[in-house]
Amino acid sequence: MKKLSTTRLASVLLAGALIAGGSIAFSASAQAAGKQGTACTTLKAKSGSYTCVANPLKTSPKLTWAYSNCIGAQSDYLSNVSNLATYTKNATDTLNKAQSTLASYQNALTVAQAALDDLTNKKVFTITYVPNTRTPATTAIGISAAIAAYQAKIADDQTRVAFYTAALAKDAAGSNQAKSDQKSIDAFNLGIKTRQGTIDLLNRQLTRVQSSVTNYQSQIATWTTTVNGAIAQQKQLTTQLTGQTTSAKTTRALACKAGL
């Protein structure tokens, strides 16, 4: 009985050791990596040259063991994706602003050209009024015709000034006729000054509108070049960055499939 008890005790101890040993082996096996691409359970866990990461290739399992070159390739790929997205957004925003600026100048040019057309071909200018009223007596259509009409009135006024100046020279000094002739001279000189001021104003107005048209045309040429350049550059750099991203994706696939 004593010997049997000893044998049974040894058997129990041996079984316990085997169970314990199996448990230990099982636990160690659960924590050890098999090969790259096989499942792991704890993100960022280490096992030899492997690290437990989110599967870069987005296939099952969700967490896999990976070599450092796979991890590096994934980081490089994500960096390229981010660069492409950032550039695309910034380039699109810049292009949109340039196109908006171009459109604003095109609209401004349309308005300025309409104003120039109205000023030169359609606008009615009053040259003289019915005496003691605001009713137009003579008119001219278009700024050039108006200027010509005012210049003709100035020439007529100058003739009148010359006439009354000659008459004044014959008048008795201080006489009523002398006063009347001087008054006429002053009135016609005032008319000349007023009409010349109107001509100067019309010329400034015409120059301002013409300058606006020229300026907007110049701005449109500049911004058209800017927009076309931005489109070409965006296309070129997008192709380049897309190619880099595609290459990085291929490199990642090769690195993360190695050993499978």
Side-chain angles (χ1 to χ4, degrees):
M1 291 295 292
K2 182 177 181 180
K3 183 177 181 180
L4 179 60
S5 296
T6 301
T7 300
R8 178 176 291 180
L9 177 59
S11 298
V12 171
L13 291 173
L14 178 59
L18 290 173
I19 292 173
S23 298
I24 292 171
F26 177 80
S27 176
S29 176
Q31 296 301 320
K35 62 178 182 178
Q36 180 165 252
T38 58
C40 55
T41 57
T42 305
L43 186 64
K44 296 183 180 181
K46 304 284 186 180
S47 179
S49 58
Y50 294 103
T51 300
C52 185
V53 299
N55 190 344
L57 303 180
K58 299 186 182 301
T59 58
S60 296
K62 293 182 179 180
L63 296 179
T64 63
W65 292 110
Y67 280 123
S68 60
N69 58 345
C70 172
I71 297 171
Q74 167 70 348
S75 177
D76 182 60
Y77 169 71
L78 293 178
S79 177
N80 276 278
V81 170
S82 177
N83 288 341
L84 176 58
T86 299
Y87 171 75
T88 298
K89 181 182 183 304
N90 291 340
T92 299
D93 289 345
T94 299
L95 179 58
N96 287 342
K97 289 178 182 178
Q99 289 175 324
S100 177
T101 300
L102 174 59
S104 69
Y105 279 120
Q106 289 171 331
N107 290 337
L109 176 61
T110 298
V111 173
Q113 287 175 326
L116 181 60
D117 179 61
D118 179 70
L119 192 62
T120 57
N121 300 311
K122 301 175 183 178
K123 188 171 182 178
V124 177
F125 295 87
T126 298
I127 307 303
T128 61
Y129 293 90
V130 174
N132 302 318
T133 72
R134 297 301 297 171
T135 302
T138 60
T139 60
I141 298 176
I143 194 168
S144 294
I147 290 174
Y150 282 121
Q151 289 172 333
K153 292 297 295 182
I154 288 175
D156 183 63
D157 290 343
Q158 289 172 334
T159 299
R160 298 295 182 90
V161 168
F163 173 82
Y164 284 108
T165 299
L168 179 63
K170 299 175 183 179
D171 295 337
S175 67
N176 289 334
Q177 186 60 48
K179 293 178 182 179
S180 176
D181 288 340
Q182 184 61 57
K183 185 176 181 181
S184 296
I185 292 171
D186 293 341
F188 283 113
N189 277 328
L190 178 60
I192 291 171
K193 180 179 179 180
T194 301
R195 290 186 175 101
Q196 186 58 55
T198 301
I199 290 174
D200 293 341
L201 179 63
L202 292 177
N203 278 323
R204 287 196 298 271
Q205 185 178 1
L206 179 61
T207 298
R208 184 172 63 253
V209 176
Q210 289 173 329
S211 295
S212 295
V213 169
T214 300
N215 176 59
Y216 294 143
Q217 288 172 331
S218 176
Q219 291 293 344
I220 287 171
T222 297
W223 281 98
T224 296
T225 299
T226 298
V227 168
N228 290 339
I231 291 173
Q233 183 180 49
Q234 182 176 4
K235 182 178 180 180
Q236 179 182 359
L237 290 180
T238 297
T239 298
Q240 179 181 335
L241 291 174
T242 299
Q244 292 175 351
T245 302
T246 300
S247 178
K249 185 176 182 180
T250 300
T251 299
R252 182 190 68 172
L254 293 174
C256 294
K257 289 179 179 179
L260 294 179

